[in-house]
Amino acid sequence: MHLRRSTRIAVALAGCLVAATPALAQPETLARAKDFYASAAYEEALDVLRKLNGSAPATEAREIAVYQLFCLVALGRTDETKKTIETIVRADPLYHLSEQDASPRVRQMFEDIRRPLLPAIVKDLYTKAKAAYDRKDAAEAVAGFDKVVALIDDASLSDSPGIGDILTLATGFRDLVKAPAAAPPPPADPAPAPKTDPPPPTNTPASEARIYGPDDTFVVRPVGISNQLPPWRPTGADFRMEFSGDIEVVIDEAGKVISATIRRSIHRLYDPLLVEAAKKWKYQPATANGTPVRYRYFLEVNLKPGGGIR
């Protein structure tokens, strides 16, 4: 009898230990922290979030910091809240709390702490972009100057002391980097012949057909019939930035685009979309003396903040 009772107790204890093992081994994840936050267990949520700091993937880093902010606000820890906001802003100065995630009071508190930090951040970003420009790292320089311009515009900082000058310099250096290098002048012709309109094109094989361009002023330029630009759907920091570049298309005698080439990159994600779209464009062909001819056409594309295109 005593043996049976001892056996039952041992089995019950073993069952308790088995049941407790999953709880003890439960991993610390962002989802678990969110569950604690949703149930108003803010201290528990903070404990999980602190353990995640430094070990979570980069894609979750900001979300972890934002949930830390929400927990600290709920607990009324003002000093820690301010430090957390400063960390978020320095990591991504263009970031704003969304209306879906935060109340107007919390968003206003975030902006009140964010704004005084921005002038120093702008100056630091400009210094890094200028250093990239000086060492001829065009891609990093353009990205840096674009971010400086976007941040000044986003926070309306142009009236702040010294920031207006930085905006002028950043815009000038950015445009200088983006401008295509000037082509060397052609060798001088010692006895230039008088310029006359060339004769109408003959039945030249398609592979050898002359391609006219903007310098051929006697050619009537092609007219677009269907040349829709692909949509621009920016995300992250790109949403508040502007990008511009050029595409070159060659239009044949039937008004069909036979080649499309990016001459000055607009955006690494948008460039391939634009090339594919351009291959489907239709034009009324260019003409020389009334005869359709091939024509090289250049188009500047500007991607505006928020997804606009011009």
Side-chain angles (χ1 to χ4, degrees), residues 20-220:
T21 300
L24 292 173
Q26 188 171 359
E28 305 289 25
T29 63
L30 180 57
R32 186 162 182 248
K34 289 181 178 180
D35 289 339
F36 278 132
Y37 177 79
S39 61
Y42 304 123
E43 290 287 4
E44 290 82 352
L46 275 175
D47 184 57
V48 173
L49 293 167
R50 286 177 181 131
K51 291 176 182 176
L52 290 174
N53 271 332
S55 62
T59 53
E60 291 185 355
R62 185 170 66 196
E63 195 171 6
I64 289 170
V66 168
Y67 268 91
Q68 282 181 304
L69 166 62
F70 293 159
C71 290
L72 292 168
V73 169
L75 292 168
R77 298 182 186 175
T78 306
D79 291 342
E80 290 179 74
T81 297
K82 184 174 183 295
K83 290 178 182 177
T84 302
I85 291 175
E86 290 174 352
T87 299
I88 295 171
V89 172
R90 289 195 173 95
D92 183 0
L94 284 165
Y95 177 73
H96 297 270
L97 292 175
S98 69
E99 295 180 5
Q100 292 76 21
D101 293 334
S103 68
R105 181 182 71 85
V106 175
R107 294 202 310 274
Q108 186 60 54
M109 177 177 59
F110 184 92
E111 295 301 327
D112 288 345
I113 295 172
R114 170 180 178 263
R115 185 176 175 80
L117 301 173
L118 297 183
I121 292 175
V122 164
K123 293 173 183 177
D124 182 58
L125 290 173
Y126 172 78
T127 299
K128 292 177 180 177
K130 182 59 167 58
Y133 173 85
D134 291 340
R135 64 175 181 269
K136 302 188 186 308
D137 187 339
E140 184 176 339
V142 169
F145 290 132
D146 277 340
K147 192 169 186 178
V148 169
V149 173
L151 187 54
I152 293 173
D153 180 63
D154 174 78
S156 301
L157 293 174
S158 56
D159 293 334
S160 300
I163 300 299
D165 293 338
I166 289 179
L167 177 60
T168 300
L169 290 169
T171 303
F173 280 122
R174 180 191 64 182
D175 294 346
L176 188 61
V177 175
K178 287 184 176 181
D189 186 348
K195 188 173 182 179
T196 60
D197 290 355
T202 58
N203 294 326
T204 307
S207 60
E208 300 177 9
R210 175 180 173 180
I211 301 175
Y212 295 84
D215 292 336
D216 299 304
T217 56
F218 58 88
V219 175
V220 178

Side-chain angles (χ1 to χ4, degrees), residues 222-289:
V223 177
I225 296 173
S226 172
N227 52 354
Q228 185 70 34
L229 293 170
W232 168 235
R233 299 186 178 92
T235 59
D238 287 348
F239 188 82
R240 304 179 185 89
M241 299 176 72
E242 181 173 348
F243 304 91
S244 64
D246 303 298
I247 185 171
E248 171 194 305
V249 295
V250 176
I251 303 160
D252 69 8
E253 298 87 342
K256 180 182 177 182
V257 173
I258 57 175
S259 76
T261 307
I262 297 294
R263 289 302 182 194
R264 185 162 57 97
S265 177
I266 299 107
H267 188 283
R268 62 183 179 80
L269 299 180
Y270 191 77
D271 290 350
L273 300 178
L274 180 59
V275 169
E276 286 304 309
K279 292 176 181 178
K280 302 174 184 176
W281 291 349
K282 300 292 182 184
Y283 288 84
Q284 179 180 322
T287 57
N289 297 330

